[in-house]
Amino acid sequence: MNKYVMLQEPKQKEYDTAPQILIIDNSTATGKAKVEKLVNQGYRFAGTIETELSESSVRSGICRDRIDRLEAYQSRMREAMNIIGNTLETV
């Protein structure tokens, strides 16, 4: 079983409503040192996750909706660029 610590970065701007949350494997000395360093830099404890998933799988699962939206946006942009390209070819 893997246990990860979640740390929320300090707000960068006053209107920043959702600062990034880092997921860190603190089962090693390196991970614990990283957590300590970030807390000293102003990061706040946001919770823990216990799972059999790898760190990258947890991160991908949490960000899945954003990835899907980004891919849909990129697809729409490609379609628009194709339309523009076809229009320019006919001129």
Side-chain angles (χ1 to χ4, degrees), residues 21-72:
I21 295 177
L22 301 179
I23 300 170
I24 302 166
D25 180 355
N26 72 333
S27 64
T28 64
T30 304
K32 289 177 184 172
K34 184 174 184 177
V35 168
E36 187 176 327
K37 176 185 172 189
L38 291 171
V39 168
N40 289 336
Q41 292 176 359
Y43 282 69
R44 296 181 345 183
F45 178 75
T48 59
I49 299 173
E50 285 190 46
T51 180
E52 294 188 14
L53 298 173
S54 68
E55 184 177 343
S56 61
S57 293
V58 171
R59 187 176 293 113
S60 295
I62 289 172
C63 296
R64 185 76 244 164
D65 65 327
R66 288 187 182 198
I67 293 168
D68 290 344
R69 285 192 307 233
L70 177 60
E71 288 173 351

Side-chain angles (χ1 to χ4, degrees), residues 68-82:
D68 290 344
R69 285 192 307 233
L70 177 60
E71 288 173 351
Y73 174 76
Q74 289 172 329
S75 176
R76 289 194 305 270
M77 291 302 294
R78 279 191 293 277
E79 289 174 19
M81 294 303 291
N82 287 337

